Amino acid sequence: MCGIVGYIGDRECTPILIEGLRRLEYRGYDSAGVAVLEPDSAGTLATRVVRCRGKLGNLEKLLRDSPPTGRVGMGHTRWATHGRPSDENAHPHKHGSVSVVHNGIIENYLALRASLSARGHKFTSETDTEIIAHLVDDELKAGGGLREAVRRALAQVQGAYAIVVLSDAAPGSIIAAKNASPLVLGVGEGENFVASDVPAILAHTRQMMFLEEGEIAELTRGGIAICDLAGKAIQRIPRTIQWSSVMAEKAGYKHFMLKEIHEQDRAVTDTLRGRVSIEKADALLDGIELAPSEMKKLTLIACGTSWHAALVGKFLIEQIARIPVEVDLASEYRYRDPIIGPGDLLLAISQSGETADTLAAVKEARGKGATVMCIANVVDSSIPRACHHALYTHAGPEIGVASTKAFTTQLAALVLLAIHLGRRSGALDEARAATLIREFMAIPQKMADVFGHSPQIQVIARRYGKARDFLFLGRGNNYPIALEGALKLKEISYIHAEGYAAGEMKHGPIALIDEHMPVVVVCPKGPGYEKVMSNLAEVKARDGKIIAIATRGDSDIGAIADEVILIPDAPAPLLPLLTVLPLQLLAYHIADFKGTDIDQPRNLAKSVTVE
Ligand code: F6R
């Protein structure tokens, strides 16, 4: 999510850091900063931190007149998670002699902050990162050197992190550590580098080592030493990275969309992080407490792909929490003089947090006295600012115009919400909640498993990619997934596609079916499976070509479908998180086969800020 770059060597580091950050700007851009060990007139090194809100250009303006001079430093571009974008929340965070940049989410940060406060620590930001600077500074004072201090501090931390730490009390090294967020080490001659991503340092070295989970690296001018969290030394041989700089930005994938499709297991893990507890059999919403008994009406609104997430959300909340839900297109809702008022909850869903229709609907509902909440990806964007409560998806920046990881993280946030409401409405008992949460936590691994079908889907894409029209069918909570599959195909391949509730096919669209019409059907085992089978028989009787997304172990589907993509099984409420993945890949491979501009399809914008 955030971008990190660090340098130790004999060159002036500020230009190296800024150039590296420029290459990472696509990862996050709400604020930026650098920390450099700068010599004073007596030659003593002191850390100078320069940071500010806004794009990297703002930082460059700040640095123009007196850039920090020094040969050890680190930089950061931020994509906010804890704390809104502001000068105070920008990284690096400094406490005592210790400065830290961080990418990730510290799950136990509230507990750590409370215990540090009780020991007299004062904080100047709203971030989870600042507590790391406090912990390391305390440990450094206890002795043993900077690496040891970081190691002891991290033993207290739970969550995902990639951090780089420097201290003017230990100016001969910089320390990097990783758990669940990426970090790469660059090996130079008399200089070494660390970064969150390869592009940041590719101009300086192609010799790189990737840090693994729970590893700490100490970079000096002369070398890099790696150890684990227990302090045991680890040997790693650098690899030569062959990527061009353009490939490196996309982590070796051909398009940002493909990269983002493959990031979804990680992104969903981040949405869940620190918010589910099997022991408590509950989902926590960052301090938001919803009381179903006081909620007169619950309405979900959104546009496009986010509206499809809202449609799944209706199934989830109604099935799990037994609370009735209305869903509306934000662009329709706002012009209808909607019936909403005090005691009602309006939930807006938006990746960008800037969609004009969704924002206007939020303002309309709030103006009429309703409580307004959102599920959003971009922290402190206009929609969260206009709401009473915001639940962030933590998907990280989405660059491809066609939404993929934003969608699945919205689904994950809606599952959290449904569990939260279900526990409070009484509809979800403790045992069922614990089972559902356990299955929910297994979903990222199952998502990664589905990506293994990409080569098969590529073959299917070539076989059917010349069709003029596609039909997508699904039932229940996979009906919105059929809509989403059709939208993905339309927007990036420009092939006409329609999504339908499978039971509706006989009321009209069946007239379209002939031997030239591929019908993609989402039919995992579960409620409604038999009914979908009957619908497929109707397609087959008219020579339609069937591409089925089915559950592994389904021995019947092969007899009727022309192509079968098998996904792992999961409880019905969680299946949309898996069934959508083959549809994203199918749209992607068809568009790639056709050679369209996948990341920036014609006529589309990433965030629609006009009505
Ligand atoms: C489709 C897509 C759009 C957005 C829609 C709403 O792939 O990305 O349909 O979902 O424009 O955008 P947000 O979620 O930013 O409000």
Side-chain angles (χ1 to χ4, degrees), residues 303-306 350-353 355 401-403 410 487-488 491 608:
C303 295
T305 287
S306 299
S350 175
Q351 186 286 129
S352 61
T355 300
V401 163
S403 191
Q410 288 167 349
L487 178 61
K488 286 289 91 90
E491 61 184 344
V608 185

Side-chain angles (χ1 to χ4, degrees), residues 282-334:
D282 201 7
L284 307 170
L285 309 179
D286 302 350
I288 305 167
E289 260 304 318
L290 298 174
S293 57
E294 290 161 24
M295 204 185 286
K296 288 208 297 215
K297 188 168 70 176
L298 174 55
T299 307
L300 271 48
I301 53 137
C303 295
T305 287
S306 299
W307 178 66
H308 297 155
L311 291 175
V312 177
K314 174 181 169 69
F315 278 89
L316 292 169
I317 296 167
E318 292 192 345
Q319 281 169 2
I320 297 173
R322 304 306 296 158
I323 295 171
V325 178
E326 285 181 13
V327 180
D328 220 326
L329 288 161
S331 52
E332 289 292 319
Y333 183 83
R334 54 178 297 204

Side-chain angles (χ1 to χ4, degrees), residues 112 116 119 131-140 153 156-157:
L112 288 171
L116 285 162
R119 299 201 319 256
I131 57 135
I132 303 177
H134 285 248
L135 291 174
V136 176
D137 190 58
D138 272 6
E139 294 295 343
L140 191 58
Q156 303 165 56
V157 167

Side-chain angles (χ1 to χ4, degrees), residues 97-120:
S97 75
V98 172
S99 302
V100 178
V101 293
H102 167 223
N103 171 28
I105 300 165
I106 304 301
E107 287 170 24
N108 59 339
Y109 113 96
L110 285 175
L112 288 171
R113 194 175 164 118
S115 88
L116 285 162
S117 297
R119 299 201 319 256

